[in-house]
Amino acid sequence: MQNRGLIKFFAILFAIVSIYQLTFTFVASKVKNDAKAFANGDQEKEIKYLDSIGKEKVFLNYFTYNEVADKQINKGLDLEGGINVTLQISVKDVLKGLANNSANPVFNKALADAKKNQKGNQSFLDAFYEAFDAASAGTGTKLASPDVFGNRNLSDEIKFDMSDSKVKAIINKKVDESVESAFGVLRERIDKFGVTQPNIVKLGNTGRILVELPGAKDVDRAKKLLSSTAQLEFWETFKVEEVGNYLLAVNEALKKTEKAPVAKSVKATSKIDSLLVNKAANDSVGAAKGNNPLFDKLMPIQAGGPILGMVAIKDTAAVNAFLKRPDIKSLLPSELADAKFVYGKPKNDEAEVVEMYALKGNRTNTPPMSGSVLVDAKDSFDQMGKPSVTMQMNGKGAKIWEELTGRAYTQQSNIAIVLDNIVYSAPGVSSGPIAGGRSEISGAFTVEETKDLANVLRAGKLPAAAEIVQSEVVGPSLGQKAIDNGTTSALVGLLLVSLWMMVYYGKAGWYANVALIVNLLFLFGILASIGAVLTLPGIAGIVLTLGTAVDANIIIYERAKEELLHGLTLEEAIKKSFSWTGAMRSIIDANVTHVLTGAILYVFGTGPIKGFATTLLIGIFTSLFTSIFITRMLLDRAASKGEKLSFHTNLSKNWFQGFNYDFLKVKKFAYGFSLVVIIVSVGSIMINGLDEGVDFVGGRTFQVKFEKPVEPSVISEELSAIYGVPAEAKVFGNSDQLRITTKYKIEEDGVAIDEEVNKMLYQGLSKHFPGMTYEKFITLYEGKTVGLLSGSKVGASISNDIKTNSFWAVIGAMIVVGLYLVVSFRKLGYSLGAIAAVAHDVIFVLGLYSLLYKVMPFHMEMDQHFIAAILTVIGYSMNDTVIVFDRVREFLDGKLKGNFNKIVNDSINTTLSRTINTSLTMIIVLLIMFIFGGESIRGFVFAMLVGIGVGTYSSLFIATPVLVDTLSKKDKEEIERRHAELNS
C-alpha cells in the first residue's frame, strides 16, 4: 500500500484527537456525579453547585467546567430525562398585527381559509397567499390596499400601488423578524429556567422553535413559562361600591330567566362568612342560596377595595356567560359601559376560588400602560419579607406610571397589574404619585412564582402567540434505564460480532476486530468533537455500526479467499482484494447507497431520528476508513513477516462453499411467492390498516407505571369515559406498565388544554394510585417508579408535516438510489432490479406490521422510528443487491464459459458467502438490540430485523431475475457471443 507511513501518521493523530475529545465527556460526567452526590436528589441544589464551579478549572488546569461541558457528548432527553417542546409561532397573529387587525372581509376570509386548507408541509404564510389570491379575485383588493398591509403602521415600507409580489417579500421579512424575535425571547427565558445545558433551535422557515430542557421535571411549569405571551398590562380598577348596584340589578334580572336550583341546607364556614358583605345592610345579597343566580356563584366581600367578590374556578365560565348576555350588558350604566370583568390568579394549585375585578376599559380596549415600557424586572422581597417582583420602566413608562399612581392616590383607587388577562396584584397607592419608574409588584406570591414572573417580564412579550404543537416529557428513571439497555446491547453486540469474526476468519478476524475497536474510537471522537447529542436511536445507530464496520472486511476477506484459491500469493491476494477491480467497487457502491438513504433520513428526520441518522452516517465513513486502511496495514504487516493467513479456520473452512444452485430456474416460483406476499400485504393494509402512531395522526401518549398489574381494557374504558373520546391502553413491557393514547382536544393548542388533559388522566387513574397527589403523579423526579414516567403530544398540524416528510423520504430514497445505480452500472436493468427488490421489501414489512400489530406483545406503530427503520432497510437491501450485481457485472464482462443464465447463476453462487455473512452480522446485532435494547425501540428494531432478512431473499430471488428479464434478447446474445469468442 502506497503512503502507508502517512496513513499511519493520520490514523495515530486521529486516535489521539478522539481520545482527547472524549476526555471532556469523562471529566464532565465526573463533575456531574460529584454534583449529584452533593445535592442528594435536590435538583436546585445540584444546579447551584454546577453554576458555582462553572468558571473553575477542572481539566488540565486550563479548561473550566463550562468549557468542558460545551465539549462533551450530550445526552438526549430519552437518555437524560427532561422536557422537549416544539412551539409554533402563530403566523396568523403576526399577519393580523401587521394588518393592524384589519376588518377587510377578503383579508379575514383568506386567514380563515389558510387555516382550513393548509396542506402538510406547507407554511401558513404560503397557504395565506394562496387563499388571498383566490378570495381577492375580481374584488380589486390587493395586499397593498390601505385596509390590509398598506396601513399607516407599514407606510414607510408598503405603498398602495405596490404589486402583490413586492408586498409578499416585505411580509415574508416581517414574519421572519417576528419569529426571530420570538426565538430571542424564548432563548432568554430558558436560560433562566434552571436546567443544565438547555437547547433551543429554529426549525428552518416553518415558524417552529424546538426547545429542550434536559433534567426539567415540573412539566406544567415549564410549558406555562415557554408558551406564555407575557402580555403585561396596567389598568385602573373600579371599587366594589361603584359596581355593586349593577351586580344587584344583574342578579334580579337573572332571577326572571334562570331556574332556581333546589335549596340545600349548607352550613356556612367562618371562612365563607368572612367573605360575605354585611347581611343587615344588604338583605338582597344575603338572601338564601338558591334564589340568587349571580350571587350563588359570585360571593361579594366587604366594600372599599377593588375585589368584587370570590368566584369558584369551576363557575367562572358561567359568570362570564351571564355578563356577556346582551340583555345583561344593556343594564350597564354609562360610567361602566367599557368595564372589563376579569379574575385574579389562584393563590395556589389547590385553590378553588379566585377574586373578581372590574377594570376601567375603553372603546379601543387598550390599557393605559403596557408591559413594553418595562426595562427590567427581578424577583425580590418586600419590606415585610414576602416574595415580590421589582420593576424598572423607561422614561415614557415612568411618566405614564406617575400619572396613573397620582390619579389612584387622589381617588383612593387601585391599579391592577394584569398578565395575560389575569390580575396578579391590584395594589393601592398610599404615598402619592410614584416618580422615577421604579415599582414593586407584591401579592400572595411564592418564591417560585416571583422567579417565573420576573423571567417572563424580563424577556418581554412575544410578537405572537406561541402554541405547543409537539411535546415530549421523559422521566430521569426512564432515561437511566435507556442508557443501561443501550450499553448492554452495544457490549453484547460487540462481543458476538467479534467472536463471529474470529471463529470464521481466524487471525484475519482478529485484525478486523482491531479495526472495529479503532472505528468505535473514531466514531465517538467525532461525536464529541461536533457536540452531537446522543439519543436512544443514536445508540441503536452505533450498534448497527458494529455490523456495517465488519461488512467491508467480509467483502475484502471473501475476495482474498477467492484469489488465494486461484493460485495468487498472499501479498498478491491482498493487493487484488483492495483494488478497484477487487472488492473496492462493491464496497463503494454499497456504502454510497447507505450514505444516500442516511442523508435523506437526516434531512427529513427530527429529534432522536436525526441523532440516529447522524451516528449512522458518521459510522459509515469511520467504518470505510478503518476497513480499508487499518485492516490493510495489519494485513500487509502480517504478509511482510511471512505469517500464514487463509481467511478461514479449520471449523469454517467449508462453510458456504461449493454452491451450485440454479436461482433463475426457480424465478417463476419466487415471483409467484412474492406476488402472493404483496397481494396479502396490500389486502391487509386496505382491510386492517396500519397502526398509525400519534406522529402521523396527532394525539397524546402517556407511559404510566402502576403499583401492580392492571387490565388494559379496563383502563381504556375508564379513560374513554373521562375524556369522552376513545382512549387506547396497551401493555408496554411489563403488565404493570401501560402506554395510553388519546386524541382528546388534539386540534386545540395551549398550556391550559395540556394541563386539562393531564388532570383528567390523573382523575381517571387516581383510584389506582391511592394517596398520590396530582403533583406527585405528573412530576418527573429522580427515582420515580410509579405514576407518569413519560408523555408526548403531536399536534394535528405537525403530524401532517411528519406524514408528508415520511412519504417523500421513502419515495425519495428509492428514486435517488435507483438513479445512482443507473449511473454506476450504466444499464437501466440494474436499477429496475434493485428498485423492484426494495419495493418488495418495503411492502413486505408494511404488510407484516398490518397483519401483526393487533397481536404482537410490543407496539408496532407507524411513526418516525418506523420510517427510519424502513429507510435503513432500503439501504441494507441495496447493499446486498449491489454485492450480487457487482459480481454479475464482473462475470458478464469477463471470460466465464457458459450461456447467459449459467453466467448469472455462477455470479450469484460465488457471492453467497459474502451475502450470508454480511446479513448474518447485521441480524446478530439487530437481535441483540431487539432483546436488550428496551421496549421503546423494539418495534423499530423488529422492522429492521425483518427487512434485513427479506432483503437478503429479494437480492437473490427478485433483484437478479428482474435484471435478467429486463435485459433485451439482443444484449444477452451479444454477451454469449463475446464470451464464446474469448473462450475459443
Side-chain angles (χ1 to χ4, degrees):
M1 180 174 62
Q2 293 180 342
N3 299 318
R4 185 184 307 167
L6 186 63
I7 291 171
K8 185 183 293 186
F9 169 76
F10 278 114
I12 294 172
L13 182 64
F14 200 0
I16 293 172
V17 171
S18 296
I19 294 170
Y20 169 74
Q21 291 288 351
L22 286 171
T23 307
F24 290 100
T25 300
F26 291 120
V27 172
S29 180
K30 181 182 181 304
V31 174
K32 283 183 180 178
N33 289 335
D34 292 343
K36 284 184 183 292
F38 172 78
N40 196 25
D42 187 333
Q43 187 193 15
E44 191 171 338
K45 194 174 181 182
E46 180 184 332
I47 292 169
K48 285 182 178 178
Y49 176 92
L50 293 175
D51 287 342
S52 67
I53 64 166
K55 296 182 179 179
E56 289 185 16
K57 295 176 180 177
V58 296
F59 180 46
L60 299 178
N61 200 31
Y62 181 80
F63 294 102
T64 66
Y65 171 71
N66 287 340
E67 292 170 332
V68 168
D70 287 339
K71 294 175 181 292
Q72 68 173 325
I73 298 177
N74 294 310
K75 290 183 287 187
L77 295 187
D78 51 359
L79 300 179
E80 177 81 4
I83 299 169
N84 169 317
V85 300
T86 300
L87 294 153
Q88 175 75 64
I89 303 303
S90 176
V91 177
K92 180 180 179 180
D93 287 353
V94 175
L95 293 175
K96 288 171 72 174
L98 292 173
N100 204 17
N101 292 309
S102 172
N104 183 288
V106 172
F107 172 76
N108 285 294
K109 184 178 188 307
L111 285 178
D113 289 348
K115 179 75 173 176
K116 183 173 60 177
N117 301 328
Q118 185 179 1
K119 305 177 186 72
N121 229 25
Q122 183 186 38
S123 71
F124 181 86
L125 198 53
D126 288 339
F128 167 75
Y129 291 147
E130 279 186 13
F132 188 88
D133 290 342
S136 62
T139 65
T141 304
K142 301 191 338 181
L143 290 173
S145 297
D147 56 347
V148 186
F149 296 120
N151 55 69
R152 61 182 181 181
N153 292 343
L154 296 174
S155 59
D156 291 341
E157 298 177 77
I158 297 178
K159 309 301 179 184
F160 72 90
D161 57 349
M162 269 187 177
S163 65
D164 280 357
S165 60
K166 289 184 178 180
V167 175
K168 285 178 183 179
I170 296 171
I171 297 303
N172 290 345
K173 180 184 175 184
K174 290 291 182 183
V175 170
D176 287 343
E177 288 174 354
S178 296
V179 175
E180 190 64 43
S181 174
F183 180 75
V185 168
L186 290 169
R187 182 168 53 196
E188 189 165 342
R189 287 185 190 176
I190 67 169
D191 285 344
K192 299 178 177 67
F193 185 74
V195 296
T196 57
Q197 295 173 310
N199 181 42
I200 177 169
V201 181
K202 280 197 304 179
L203 302 178
N205 297 318
T206 62
R208 292 179 184 142
I209 297 172
L210 172 69
V211 178
E212 294 180 325
L213 302 174
K217 299 174 176 65
D218 192 337
V219 179
D220 290 340
R221 179 189 169 208
K223 288 185 176 181
K224 285 176 183 176
L225 184 67
L226 289 172
S227 64
S228 171
T229 53
Q231 292 175 347
L232 184 68
E233 300 169 339
F234 300 84
W235 294 87
E236 296 177 87
T237 65
F238 288 105
K239 300 175 188 177
V240 65
E241 54 265 32
E242 293 175 311
V243 187
N245 288 335
Y246 168 67
L247 296 179
L248 288 170
V250 170
N251 188 60
E252 291 302 316
L254 290 173
K255 286 181 181 180
K256 300 174 184 178
T257 60
E258 301 299 306
K259 184 178 179 181
V262 178
K264 294 181 180 180
S265 175
V266 180
K267 183 178 179 181
T269 64
S270 57
K271 181 178 179 181
I272 297 299
D273 286 340
S274 69
L275 297 176
L276 298 176
V277 297
N278 185 286
K279 293 182 178 60
N282 298 282
D283 288 339
S284 60
V285 174
K289 187 172 177 68
N291 296 327
N292 301 283
L294 179 63
F295 294 132
D296 284 347
K297 293 178 170 54
L298 168 64
M299 292 175 277
I301 63 174
Q302 293 179 349
I307 303 173
L308 306 183
M310 307 296 291
V311 180
I313 294 174
K314 64 181 179 65
D315 290 334
T316 54
V319 173
N320 288 342
F322 286 155
L323 298 177
K324 288 179 180 178
R325 275 172 41 175
D327 59 321
I328 298 301
K329 291 177 75 173
S330 67
L331 300 175
L332 280 165
S334 59
E335 63 272 16
L336 295 177
D338 296 316
K340 290 178 58 175
F341 294 95
V342 295
Y343 300 99
K345 184 178 183 296
K347 301 300 180 186
N348 51 58
D349 289 338
E350 284 74 37
E352 296 180 356
V353 296
V354 289
E355 300 158 343
M356 185 176 180
Y357 299 83
L359 308 181
K360 292 184 179 180
N362 49 55
R363 290 184 179 180
T364 58
N365 198 33
T366 53
M369 191 173 80
S370 72
S372 62
V373 301
L374 283 180
V375 175
D376 192 22
K378 58 185 176 181
D379 55 297
S380 182
F381 293 91
D382 62 18
Q383 294 179 344
M384 304 296 292
K386 294 181 179 180
S388 64
V389 176
T390 58
M391 304 180 299
Q392 179 63 51
M393 303 166 191
N394 60 23
K396 178 183 176 182
K399 184 177 179 181
I400 299 172
W401 186 244
E402 187 173 0
E403 293 174 359
L404 275 176
T405 53
R407 194 156 54 242
Y409 175 72
T410 302
Q411 298 174 359
Q412 288 299 292
S413 60
N414 298 69
I415 300 173
I417 299 169
V418 183
L419 184 67
D420 292 338
N421 224 32
I422 294 174
V423 177
Y424 271 66
S425 183
V429 181
S430 57
S431 57
I434 301 175
R438 185 173 182 83
S439 295
E440 185 176 62
I441 305 175
S442 60
F445 295 119
T446 65
V447 172
E448 194 175 71
E449 286 170 341
T450 58
K451 286 182 182 296
D452 287 348
L453 177 57
N455 286 344
V456 169
L457 300 181
R458 269 196 299 269
K461 72 176 183 178
L462 293 175
E467 300 291 359
I468 296 175
V469 294
Q470 185 176 17
S471 64
E472 182 178 12
V473 293
V474 181
S477 56
L478 278 184
Q480 187 56 51
K481 186 177 180 181
I483 293 172
D484 295 340
N485 290 337
T487 303
T488 301
S489 61
L491 290 176
V492 175
L494 176 62
L495 179 64
L496 288 181
V497 169
S498 300
L499 186 62
W500 173 257
M501 294 300 288
M502 288 187 293
V503 169
Y504 196 84
Y505 292 110
K507 184 178 283 189
W510 277 102
Y511 296 152
N513 290 338
V514 171
L516 176 59
I517 299 300
V518 175
N519 172 50
L520 290 176
L521 174 64
F522 289 173
L523 172 60
F524 279 105
I526 293 173
L527 289 173
S529 65
I530 65 176
V533 177
L534 191 61
T535 62
L536 185 55
I539 291 179
I542 292 170
V543 177
L544 277 176
T545 299
L546 300 178
T548 59
V550 296
D551 275 0
N553 283 135
I554 289 172
I555 296 171
I556 291 166
Y557 287 0
E558 291 297 321
R559 187 63 187 230
K561 192 188 300 183
E562 289 177 6
E563 300 302 338
L564 287 174
L565 290 173
H566 291 157
L568 297 185
T569 65
L570 179 61
E571 291 86 346
E572 291 171 337
I574 292 172
K575 185 177 181 181
K576 177 68 175 177
S577 300
F578 282 91
S579 69
W580 182 252
T581 56
M584 285 304 101
R585 190 167 190 171
S586 297
I587 291 171
I588 297 303
D589 279 338
N591 280 278
V592 167
T593 60
H594 278 323
V595 170
L596 290 173
T597 53
I600 289 170
L601 186 58
Y602 182 85
V603 170
F604 287 98
T606 59
I609 301 305
K610 199 177 284 285
F612 172 73
T614 301
T615 54
L616 205 58
L617 286 169
I618 295 172
I620 290 169
F621 289 108
T622 56
S623 297
L624 279 174
F625 179 83
T626 54
S627 298
I628 294 173
F629 296 112
I630 303 298
T631 306
R632 176 70 184 272
M633 284 194 296
L634 294 172
L635 290 175
D636 283 348
R637 182 173 176 272
S640 65
K641 284 188 170 186
E643 293 182 12
K644 185 179 180 181
L645 287 176
S646 58
F647 299 98
H648 60 73
T649 63
N650 291 332
L651 181 64
S652 65
K653 184 175 182 179
N654 296 315
W655 288 1
F656 311 129
Q657 300 297 318
F659 284 106
N660 189 26
Y661 187 74
D662 192 343
F663 287 91
L664 297 182
K665 186 177 181 180
V666 297
K667 69 177 181 179
K668 290 182 179 179
F669 174 80
Y671 282 163
F673 171 75
S674 293
L675 183 62
V676 170
V677 168
I678 289 171
I679 291 172
V680 170
S681 297
V682 173
S684 178
I685 292 169
M686 293 176 67
I687 297 169
N688 290 334
L690 290 157
D691 187 14
E692 291 188 90
V694 295
D695 281 0
F696 283 5
V697 295
R700 292 177 172 85
T701 302
F702 305 96
Q703 186 176 336
V704 180
K705 184 76 178 290
F706 295 81
E707 294 179 343
K708 56 185 179 181
V710 292
E711 184 60 44
S713 60
V714 173
I715 299 298
S716 181
E717 289 176 8
E718 291 174 349
L719 290 176
S720 295
I722 290 288
Y723 286 125
V725 297
E728 185 181 59
K730 291 182 179 179
V731 172
F732 193 75
N734 299 324
S735 57
D736 60 351
Q737 187 168 254
L738 296 183
R739 195 167 186 263
I740 298 166
T741 305
T742 178
K743 295 178 185 175
Y744 176 72
K745 289 192 175 180
I746 197 58
E747 298 287 345
E748 300 179 39
D749 293 320
V751 174
I753 298 295
D754 293 343
E755 192 170 346
E756 176 188 347
V757 176
N758 291 346
K759 287 185 175 179
M760 291 172 78
L761 176 72
Y762 169 72
Q763 180 186 347
L765 300 179
S766 57
K767 71 178 183 181
H768 300 282
F769 299 94
M772 181 178 284
T773 63
Y774 169 74
E775 286 70 25
K776 194 169 183 181
F777 174 82
I778 205 75
T779 303
L780 308 171
Y781 52 86
E782 204 81 43
K784 187 174 185 179
T785 56
V786 293
L788 181 70
L789 299 185
S790 74
S792 65
K793 165 195 168 182
V794 179
S797 61
I798 206 165
S799 67
N800 287 334
D801 288 359
I802 291 172
K803 185 182 288 189
T804 303
N805 283 345
S806 299
F807 172 79
W808 286 114
V810 174
I811 298 299
M814 294 174 67
I815 293 173
V816 168
V817 172
L819 289 174
Y820 171 76
L821 293 180
V822 170
V823 173
S824 178
F825 286 87
R826 299 180 184 177
K827 281 193 180 291
L828 183 61
Y830 289 99
S831 184
L832 292 175
I835 290 177
V838 167
H840 167 275
D841 299 344
V842 170
I843 293 172
F844 186 96
V845 175
L846 288 171
L848 196 67
Y849 267 58
S850 175
L851 287 167
L852 300 181
Y853 76 85
K854 294 179 181 178
V855 296
M856 277 295 193
F858 52 88
H859 72 97
M860 300 176 73
E861 291 182 346
M862 285 275 290
D863 55 14
Q864 291 188 84
H865 292 82
F866 180 81
I867 297 303
I870 290 293
L871 288 172
T872 307
V873 166
I874 290 173
Y876 284 101
S877 178
M878 287 290 185
N879 185 6
D880 280 344
T881 302
V882 164
I883 291 173
V884 175
F885 279 3
D886 187 73
R887 179 53 61 93
V888 170
R889 174 175 56 186
E890 180 186 347
F891 277 19
L892 291 179
D893 291 342
K895 301 179 182 180
L896 202 67
K897 292 182 180 181
N899 61 29
F900 180 82
N901 282 7
K902 183 181 185 304
I903 296 170
V904 172
N905 273 316
D906 287 346
S907 303
I908 301 173
N909 280 292
T910 55
T911 60
L912 278 181
S913 56
R914 299 186 194 181
T915 302
I916 292 172
N917 251 326
T918 53
S919 296
L920 194 60
T921 53
M922 289 306 307
I923 288 172
I924 288 173
V925 295
L926 287 169
L927 272 174
I928 296 304
M929 275 196 289
F930 183 76
I931 296 168
F932 298 107
E935 188 66 31
S936 60
I937 63 169
R938 194 154 283 150
F940 163 61
V941 173
F942 183 72
M944 286 192 287
L945 193 57
V946 172
I948 298 299
V950 74
T952 303
Y953 158 81
S954 67
S955 65
L956 298 174
F957 293 95
I958 302 297
T960 309
V962 169
L963 165 64
V964 171
D965 290 342
T966 54
L967 281 177
S968 67
K969 184 179 179 181
K970 183 180 178 181
D971 286 341
K972 293 176 184 177
E973 290 175 348
E974 173 62 24
I975 290 170
E976 289 180 345
R977 184 193 61 77
R978 183 165 45 81
H979 277 248
E981 287 181 0
L982 290 171
N983 284 291
S984 65

